[in-house]
Amino acid sequence: MNVIWAIIRKDFQMEFRTKESITAMWIFSLLIFVIFNFTFEISRLLLLQISGGLLWVAFIFSGMLGLNRSFQVERENGNLRGLSLTPADPGLIYFGKFLSTTFFMLIFEALIFPLFIIFYDIQLSLVTLWIIPISILGTLGFTSLGTILSAVAIHTKQQQILLSLLLWPLITPIIIWAVKTTGDVLAGELSAAFQPVMVRMLVFDVIFTTISYLLFEYVVQE
Amino acid sequence: MNQPVIIAENLRKEFGRVVALRGVSFQVEEGAFFTIFGRNGAGKSTLLSIISGMASATDGRIRVFGEDPGERTHRHRLSVISHESFLYDNLTALENLAFYGKLYQVENLNERMHAVLDQVGLHHRRFDLVHTFSRGMVQRLTIARAILHNPDLFLLDEPFTGLDQHATEMLIGLMDDLKSQGKTILLTTHDLQIGLRLSTSFMLLERQRVVETGTSDGLTAELLREKYFSLVKTSEAGQ
């Protein structure tokens, strides 16, 4: 636990000092909301249908910025190699990076969600609270794969392009599920498929987190 | 006779069709200062990567403290210093040491951090961010990071790269200290003068092979240079 906590603390210390990721993510999300809100004249019904996708576009694209930045600092002075040379279990190093990115994204999502509600005048109800487990499950799926694939891409010159190429096809299912369930929640009605989809997201997270944990040692080897 | 800390037998490393090491064998005994000389591309850094456990050999056998380097049990007894600092630019000197100290589970970490910062002459800059440091200061902090967990074996991969004269002398002084403490040191360099000044034994790598090994007693940089160039010529002629 010490290793995981040390990595999370280190990542947050650096982010609060530089505010590089949060600034970029915030501006990016704001731009998405502004463009969709003022550029396209859409009816309320259509807005409710696309709102889930809109929110997750902001979450995921901003998350990509955060993920890239998170591993950029590990690349700068050979730090990932430095981490791998310590006696710390590579799996714990993976969990440290995975959880720090996840916490960071969840904090960001909690900040951006009220803005989304205001911009699109979403009616709040008790059902809206389901957005919390959906965000957690969707974000975990994104960061579990994003963390290991960032470690793969870190050794290449085209880090950002490679990460996108590797990550997008793999996270497509969980993004689709997250968009669908978020759409239900924002519309204020949970469909019959809601619960099975949530279970699928949970299973996806467990499978990919376990695989990534087991493979991380081989990924960081030269 | 001291126990061997590193035993390498017939090591071979291939990256696809590129051969990085061709049957390299050597031993480093406890307390020795062993220098590996060689030109760029001779295989020095690959060899260090294998010893540190960051890469595995395609063929051959390697033991560090009697174990496969891939095992993590002896990692706390090992430290790597290279031209890469492994430091975070946006953390202070103290925060960097605290981070690595936790990963190495250093006992009495607070006291130890202050002691090593004092040792490398950076205690007065402990609250400053690393990105405000000069190259020489970064290397001094790298040394502090490397000695923090009091390892028994140091792997130094071209540590003098980019250092000014003052920083180079400081690093040499520190290596002398480590040597007198009985630590085992393995240095890779192409600087024959510095390498010979420090080492007790050496090995010459040329075209991914060992072409010469010996002790440094009575050997001058000039003699080694002559020998080195004659071996390089022979090796090139044999290709």
Side-chain angles (χ1 to χ4, degrees), chain A residues 39-51:
Chain A
T39 314
F40 303 113
E41 298 254 339
I42 47 178
S43 68
R44 173 137 199 93
L45 188 67
L46 184 62
L47 174 72
L48 283 175
Q49 282 173 350
I50 65 162
S51 58

Side-chain angles (χ1 to χ4, degrees), chain B:
Chain B
M1 194 171 150
N2 288 335
Q3 288 287 316
V5 171
I6 303 170
I7 303 171
E9 289 169 3
N10 217 15
L11 285 184
R12 185 176 177 86
K13 178 69 181 173
E14 293 167 9
F15 295 102
R17 290 161 64 183
V18 178
V19 182
L21 291 174
R22 299 167 196 269
V24 171
S25 301
F26 66 99
Q27 276 197 14
V28 180
E29 284 167 10
E30 194 180 354
F33 195 124
F34 189 86
T35 301
I36 303 172
F37 295 109
R39 293 192 286 180
N40 292 339
K44 305 187 298 290
S45 296
T46 304
L47 189 52
L48 244 64
S49 285
I50 293 172
I51 296 167
S52 65
M54 284 305 294
S56 50
T58 311
D59 202 4
R61 181 176 175 267
I62 173 101
R63 287 289 176 269
V64 178
F65 295 112
E67 292 175 351
D68 187 297
E71 299 292 323
R72 310 190 80 80
T73 43
H74 65 270
R75 291 279 170 98
H76 63 283
R77 298 182 69 187
L78 185 147
S79 200
V80 176
I81 299 178
S82 72
H83 52 278
E84 289 182 315
S85 66
F86 306 157
L87 296 170
Y88 294 91
D89 290 342
N90 286 311
L91 292 183
T92 66
L94 211 52
E95 286 167 348
N96 266 292
L97 293 185
F99 174 64
Y100 278 103
K102 280 172 195 155
L103 262 55
Y104 280 98
Q105 298 179 318
V106 175
E107 286 177 12
N108 301 321
L109 180 57
N110 211 30
E111 284 168 33
R112 184 73 190 142
M113 286 192 301
H114 288 281
V116 294
L117 280 172
D118 228 9
Q119 202 175 338
V120 298
L122 282 176
H123 197 261
H124 64 295
R125 298 290 304 266
R126 64 192 180 280
F127 297 124
D128 291 342
L129 297 176
V130 170
H131 73 74
T132 65
F133 285 12
S134 67
R135 174 78 183 95
M137 287 164 77
V138 168
Q139 194 64 329
R140 277 149 69 189
L141 187 59
T142 303
I143 293 162
R145 190 236 342 122
I147 60 177
L148 183 69
H149 58 288
N150 198 20
D152 299 314
L153 171 64
F154 287 84
L155 304 177
L156 311 171
D157 187 11
E158 304 275 6
F160 303 104
T161 307
L163 292 189
D164 61 24
Q165 195 58 36
H166 175 72
T168 303
E169 286 302 326
M170 207 226 133
L171 185 54
I172 290 172
L174 188 107
M175 286 186 200
D176 275 332
D177 281 353
L178 295 172
K179 200 164 117 181
S180 61
Q181 287 169 32
K183 305 285 186 189
T184 310
I185 301 168
L186 194 152
L187 167 73
T188 70
T189 182
H190 50 256
D191 191 323
L192 302 179
Q193 191 91 35
I194 292 177
L196 267 187
R197 180 176 152 189
L198 292 163
S199 61
T200 50
S201 48
F202 73 94
M203 176 170 93
L204 254 170
L205 274 183
E206 171 60 18
R207 291 182 187 253
Q208 303 85 40
R209 281 191 180 91
V210 179
V211 289
E212 181 78 13
T213 53
T215 58
S216 310
D217 291 340
L219 195 62
T220 63
E222 276 310 308
L223 265 173
L224 184 62
R225 187 170 287 117
E226 273 177 34
K227 203 172 200 177
Y228 177 61
F229 284 118
S230 106
L231 286 164
V232 167
K233 270 185 193 167
T234 315
S235 162
E236 280 174 352
Q239 287 297 308

Side-chain angles (χ1 to χ4, degrees), chain A residues 97-114:
Chain A
K97 289 303 289 180
F98 161 56
L99 289 176
S100 83
T101 316
T102 306
F103 289 151
F104 187 68
M105 264 189 82
L106 287 173
I107 291 169
F108 168 77
E109 288 166 11
L111 292 172
I112 209 81
F113 186 67

Side-chain angles (χ1 to χ4, degrees), chain A residues 37-210:
Chain A
N37 195 34
F38 295 112
T39 314
F40 303 113
E41 298 254 339
I42 47 178
S43 68
R44 173 137 199 93
L45 188 67
L46 184 62
L47 174 72
L48 283 175
Q49 282 173 350
I50 65 162
S51 58
L54 196 58
L55 189 62
W56 278 95
V57 165
F59 284 176
I60 294 299
F61 278 92
S62 306
M64 284 294 284
L65 292 174
L67 204 56
N68 273 317
R69 182 63 204 150
S70 170
F71 272 84
Q72 187 61 35
V73 295
E74 302 301 347
R75 181 183 174 153
E76 272 167 5
N77 297 319
N79 295 333
L80 189 62
R81 187 164 177 247
L83 288 180
S84 309
L85 286 165
T86 66
D89 182 336
L92 296 181
I93 295 173
Y94 166 77
F95 265 113
K97 289 303 289 180
F98 161 56
L99 289 176
S100 83
T101 316
T102 306
F103 289 151
F104 187 68
M105 264 189 82
L106 287 173
I107 291 169
F108 168 77
E109 288 166 11
L111 292 172
I112 209 81
F113 186 67
L115 202 70
F116 174 79
I117 297 289
I118 295 165
F119 261 92
Y120 296 99
D121 192 23
I122 303 288
Q123 304 298 312
L124 296 176
S125 68
L126 273 177
V127 174
T128 319
L129 287 174
W130 276 101
I131 196 71
I132 297 169
I134 294 168
S135 297
I136 292 171
L137 290 176
T139 306
L140 283 171
F142 172 75
T143 51
S144 64
L145 276 166
T147 303
I148 191 157
L149 295 176
S150 294
V152 172
I154 204 170
H155 300 297
T156 64
K157 283 181 185 168
Q158 305 294 333
Q159 183 190 350
Q160 295 188 6
I161 296 170
L162 185 67
L163 177 61
S164 303
L165 284 173
L166 295 172
L167 186 58
W168 287 116
L170 290 171
I171 58 164
T172 301
I174 201 152
I175 299 299
I176 292 171
W177 297 330
V179 167
K180 186 171 167 35
T181 47
T182 304
D184 280 3
V185 165
L186 294 177
E189 281 177 36
L190 302 184
S191 67
F194 183 82
Q195 208 174 345
V197 172
M198 290 290 280
V199 172
R200 262 180 251 164
M201 286 169 79
L202 180 66
V203 171
F204 181 101
D205 291 351
V206 171
I207 289 172
F208 281 101
T209 306
T210 310

